[in-house]
Amino acid sequence: MKMKRGIWKGLITGRAAVMIIAVLTLASAVGWVFSEIIPNDINFHEDIYRAKWGNFTFALVNYLGLHDPFHSFWYRGVLAFFTLSLLLCIITGWKVFIVHSFRFSPPSILKKSAGKPPAMEIGWSKLARSGIEKKDILGYYEKAFGRDIEIDTGQISEGYSNVAAYLTRKRYRVKSKETDDGVLFSALRGRWHYPGNMLFHIAILVIAIGGMIGSFQGKKEIMYARKGDVLTLFNSQLSIRIDRFNIIQTREGEIRSYITELSFMNSSGDSIQSEKVEVNNPARYGRYDIYQSTYYVDEEEFEWARITYRLGENDRTESIAIKSGQKIELPSTDWTIEIKGYSPDFRKGKEAYYTGSNRMFNPALLIEIAGSFGRKPGWLFLKYPSFNFSFDLPVKFSVDYIEPVYYTGLQISSNPGTRLIILGIAMAAVGLLFLFCSSYRLLKGKVEKTGLFIIIAREGGGKMSKREISGMKKDLKSILRDIIIADTGKEG
Amino acid sequence: MMDGVFGLSFFWIAFWVYLLSFLVFVVFFAVRNRLPGRIAAILFFAALALHTVGIIARWRFFGHIPLATMFEYSLVLSWIIAVSFVLLLFRFDFMISGVVISPIVIIIMVIASFLPKEGSKQLMPALQSYWFYIHITLAALAEGAFLVAAGASVYYLFRSARTNSYSGEMERVEGLIIKSIRIGYPLFTIGALFAGSLWAWKAWGSFWSWDPKETGALVVWLFYTLILHQQSRGRWEGRTLAMVSIVGFLIIIVSFLGNLFFGGLHAYV
């Protein structure tokens, strides 16, 4: 039982929190390095890496998950321990964090002689004899002057009032209690500091929980689709239809944006919502998020082509846009044109034509012109128009542009942890604002017959710098000196 | 001048003036005479003015805040650090901080000089978001604050090695280290981590991808969290604080340059 209590106490100490943060920092740094130096495909090419590293090293790397350290058991273990530590910190620390910030009362007794001297000690004797002190040597005034100057009850009240007014000006809230020999008081500033700290800690926990939910329950998939395709969302009743996909380029050819217009469809195939998705502007329906993730260009097929033809008689040029397999009438003629074939990388073999690759290295269209003369097929070349077929007609045909088929790459996500993460981030931002914009200070003091004593309370960790202490002390001496001077008639 | 590396001349001249300013600050530090300090400060202001003109010119030319590449980020980061000297000088009359800040500015500019300098008028689609301004600006401010802390730490260690007494100046320098970290931490948390996560969620559909830059930022954040926890426990003060602050600086540099070698989602910045 004692041991259990010991472990519990050990876990909730500041030292334990620091230890776990240090371990997590180290583990993250180690994971950072390993994730970059060890390829993440070792399980796909096991033979290669076994041969390269040897069986033992491969097994060790695989066991420790060094190829994907942030999903390894040891990193997850550290994260779990961090989360546990955070949870314990919140459970056990809320009293210190919250209660001390709002509920404070004047001390029943000022323990100025409990080992450590008060942080500020201003004796009336010293004030009276030497005016504003330049050095603060504890107990100096007693040794130097032998006898304490004591003030009466009225002056104690006046002294306290001045101190309280000063502290109020410094944004402290002051509470006091009169005793037989003086006035005890507490002064608190920055009461939102620790609630902010608490909120920040809770927020990190909320984010961690949201992340874990997303990690275990979330789904993510990248799907490629072209115009008209229908994609089912994670085997649900819901699907999306791609209505349009556009890549917008600048004049210099840089990609400005790529946009997918899509419709959400129900199980009956009815469109229930239309959305435009682009990078940084996802579409949302229910628990599904659709992101414009990437795109893919399929050069093996083409979407449409622009064919220009020049009528020999008056040199007039006409252009038409034609899709694969489409047959259309040629304006200003009584002929028709039809796309009969397409080769992204046209090559001529000994016996037949063929495609050398699926890339558009030498794109060519096989067209067929039909008219009163019958049907005349022939090839048109995008990059080498001098090789275009002549068709034995008084018209010259050429292909100006061939658009490959663009597939939009959409990421379909469903992450039930999203709301928690966003809530956590909002809480953390507010918490940080309170935490760093208000400085917690808790002073406990007493104005009594022999002087003013102030202790800087360490409850909740409030800490004042030496500069701040000396500045405050200087101000307080200046305020209190007037009372003494009025009483003794002595100038410093 | 009207090309992809617009504004470089200003930065180049600013770099040499910063260097000259640093040398005069060293003289000021050695002789502790106000005159070389003033000369150094004037040189520093001149360099900062050139630096500012370079940034504004590049901004106007490319039509977006120059934070889209690592080179541009380095220039803005060094500018933020330089501006911190102006604040320290006019707000706290902290002339000696010039000895600390000018070399950091120079180091960052030297790092920038090794990075690709081309810019583009067209931001890539992923960067076309208001989060671009929030995330990168706050991250630059935060890292600037951490780097000021690191510079002050070097100075602190240098001074403490020469004297055993804890003088008022040492107290001011330690105060500068603590305040810089306390300014940098919330900015880094909100700007680099939270704004970055929200932007990643908007653009890539995932708050966190364990990308090298993200992991680097996490390590930086955890490290400064550790420092602040130790501070709240009354630990890691004085020399220890200075040393860990310098370690923080090294982690930031590795995190900053990491994606040059590692790639990842942040490969372009």
Side-chain angles (χ1 to χ4, degrees), chain A residues 211-224:
Chain A
M212 275 189 268
I213 292 171
S215 175
F216 291 113
Q217 300 287 315
K219 295 175 190 169
K220 192 161 77 173
E221 191 178 355
I222 290 184
M223 298 169 112
Y224 290 91

mmCIF file of all heavy atoms in Angstrom, chain A residues 211-224:
data_model
loop_
_atom_site.group_PDB
_atom_site.id
_atom_site.type_symbol
_atom_site.label_atom_id
_atom_site.label_comp_id
_atom_site.label_asym_id
_atom_site.label_seq_id
_atom_site.Cartn_x
_atom_site.Cartn_y
_atom_site.Cartn_z
ATOM 1 N N GLY A 211 -6.656 13.308 -31.259
ATOM 2 C CA GLY A 211 -5.688 12.674 -32.167
ATOM 3 C C GLY A 211 -5.783 11.164 -32.112
ATOM 4 O O GLY A 211 -5.725 10.480 -33.143
ATOM 5 N N MET A 212 -5.940 10.649 -30.904
ATOM 6 C CA MET A 212 -6.041 9.182 -30.749
ATOM 7 C C MET A 212 -7.323 8.660 -31.405
ATOM 8 O O MET A 212 -7.298 7.638 -32.085
ATOM 9 C CB MET A 212 -6.019 8.808 -29.274
ATOM 10 C CG MET A 212 -4.601 8.683 -28.732
ATOM 11 S SD MET A 212 -4.591 7.989 -27.098
ATOM 12 C CE MET A 212 -4.635 9.438 -26.117
ATOM 13 N N ILE A 213 -8.433 9.380 -31.194
ATOM 14 C CA ILE A 213 -9.697 8.956 -31.829
ATOM 15 C C ILE A 213 -9.532 8.943 -33.343
ATOM 16 O O ILE A 213 -9.916 7.985 -34.021
ATOM 17 C CB ILE A 213 -10.862 9.891 -31.401
ATOM 18 C CG1 ILE A 213 -11.169 9.686 -29.922
ATOM 19 C CG2 ILE A 213 -12.111 9.636 -32.250
ATOM 20 C CD1 ILE A 213 -12.146 10.684 -29.345
ATOM 21 N N GLY A 214 -8.931 10.027 -33.859
ATOM 22 C CA GLY A 214 -8.711 10.107 -35.303
ATOM 23 C C GLY A 214 -7.814 8.988 -35.797
ATOM 24 O O GLY A 214 -8.037 8.415 -36.865
ATOM 25 N N SER A 215 -6.812 8.679 -34.982
ATOM 26 C CA SER A 215 -5.859 7.640 -35.374
ATOM 27 C C SER A 215 -6.518 6.260 -35.444
ATOM 28 O O SER A 215 -6.247 5.475 -36.341
ATOM 29 C CB SER A 215 -4.710 7.645 -34.364
ATOM 30 O OG SER A 215 -3.832 6.614 -34.630
ATOM 31 N N PHE A 216 -7.416 5.995 -34.494
ATOM 32 C CA PHE A 216 -8.045 4.663 -34.453
ATOM 33 C C PHE A 216 -9.336 4.586 -35.266
ATOM 34 O O PHE A 216 -9.635 3.551 -35.842
ATOM 35 C CB PHE A 216 -8.319 4.250 -32.999
ATOM 36 C CG PHE A 216 -7.058 3.982 -32.233
ATOM 37 C CD1 PHE A 216 -6.659 4.792 -31.182
ATOM 38 C CD2 PHE A 216 -6.236 2.908 -32.573
ATOM 39 C CE1 PHE A 216 -5.486 4.551 -30.487
ATOM 40 C CE2 PHE A 216 -5.064 2.655 -31.881
ATOM 41 C CZ PHE A 216 -4.680 3.476 -30.835
ATOM 42 N N GLN A 217 -10.096 5.676 -35.288
ATOM 43 C CA GLN A 217 -11.415 5.640 -35.925
ATOM 44 C C GLN A 217 -11.469 6.345 -37.284
ATOM 45 O O GLN A 217 -12.435 6.182 -38.017
ATOM 46 C CB GLN A 217 -12.465 6.290 -35.005
ATOM 47 C CG GLN A 217 -12.621 5.616 -33.660
ATOM 48 C CD GLN A 217 -13.338 4.286 -33.790
ATOM 49 O OE1 GLN A 217 -14.323 4.186 -34.480
ATOM 50 N NE2 GLN A 217 -12.815 3.261 -33.139
ATOM 51 N N GLY A 218 -10.468 7.161 -37.567
ATOM 52 C CA GLY A 218 -10.490 7.953 -38.793
ATOM 53 C C GLY A 218 -10.215 7.114 -40.028
ATOM 54 O O GLY A 218 -9.598 6.045 -39.961
ATOM 55 N N LYS A 219 -10.719 7.594 -41.157
ATOM 56 C CA LYS A 219 -10.473 6.924 -42.434
ATOM 57 C C LYS A 219 -9.960 7.966 -43.409
ATOM 58 O O LYS A 219 -10.370 9.136 -43.358
ATOM 59 C CB LYS A 219 -11.771 6.335 -42.985
ATOM 60 C CG LYS A 219 -12.370 5.236 -42.153
ATOM 61 C CD LYS A 219 -13.702 4.863 -42.765
ATOM 62 C CE LYS A 219 -14.494 3.941 -41.858
ATOM 63 N NZ LYS A 219 -15.859 3.782 -42.321
ATOM 64 N N LYS A 220 -9.119 7.504 -44.306
ATOM 65 C CA LYS A 220 -8.564 8.428 -45.290
ATOM 66 C C LYS A 220 -8.236 7.641 -46.545
ATOM 67 O O LYS A 220 -7.681 6.548 -46.456
ATOM 68 C CB LYS A 220 -7.314 9.071 -44.705
ATOM 69 C CG LYS A 220 -6.805 10.235 -45.492
ATOM 70 C CD LYS A 220 -5.884 11.113 -44.678
ATOM 71 C CE LYS A 220 -4.515 10.559 -44.511
ATOM 72 N NZ LYS A 220 -3.591 11.482 -43.862
ATOM 73 N N GLU A 221 -8.601 8.191 -47.673
ATOM 74 C CA GLU A 221 -8.329 7.491 -48.914
ATOM 75 C C GLU A 221 -8.190 8.518 -50.037
ATOM 76 O O GLU A 221 -8.941 9.487 -50.086
ATOM 77 C CB GLU A 221 -9.490 6.540 -49.227
ATOM 78 C CG GLU A 221 -9.191 5.580 -50.330
ATOM 79 C CD GLU A 221 -10.366 4.616 -50.564
ATOM 80 O OE1 GLU A 221 -11.353 4.647 -49.811
ATOM 81 O OE2 GLU A 221 -10.274 3.863 -51.532
ATOM 82 N N ILE A 222 -7.228 8.288 -50.907
ATOM 83 C CA ILE A 222 -7.090 9.175 -52.071
ATOM 84 C C ILE A 222 -7.668 8.445 -53.274
ATOM 85 O O ILE A 222 -7.337 7.279 -53.536
ATOM 86 C CB ILE A 222 -5.633 9.588 -52.299
ATOM 87 C CG1 ILE A 222 -5.191 10.528 -51.191
ATOM 88 C CG2 ILE A 222 -5.471 10.276 -53.659
ATOM 89 C CD1 ILE A 222 -3.818 11.097 -51.311
ATOM 90 N N MET A 223 -8.577 9.128 -53.972
ATOM 91 C CA MET A 223 -9.236 8.510 -55.122
ATOM 92 C C MET A 223 -9.061 9.384 -56.349
ATOM 93 O O MET A 223 -9.163 10.611 -56.256
ATOM 94 C CB MET A 223 -10.726 8.318 -54.829
ATOM 95 C CG MET A 223 -10.980 7.391 -53.660
ATOM 96 S SD MET A 223 -12.689 7.451 -53.148
ATOM 97 C CE MET A 223 -13.186 5.820 -53.623
ATOM 98 N N TYR A 224 -8.813 8.744 -57.461
ATOM 99 C CA TYR A 224 -8.672 9.477 -58.725
ATOM 100 C C TYR A 224 -9.940 9.266 -59.558
ATOM 101 O O TYR A 224 -10.458 8.151 -59.634
ATOM 102 C CB TYR A 224 -7.455 8.963 -59.488
ATOM 103 C CG TYR A 224 -6.148 9.339 -58.820
ATOM 104 C CD1 TYR A 224 -5.540 8.497 -57.894
ATOM 105 C CD2 TYR A 224 -5.540 10.559 -59.106
ATOM 106 C CE1 TYR A 224 -4.367 8.850 -57.272
ATOM 107 C CE2 TYR A 224 -4.362 10.926 -58.484
ATOM 108 C CZ TYR A 224 -3.777 10.069 -57.570
ATOM 109 O OH TYR A 224 -2.606 10.427 -56.952
#
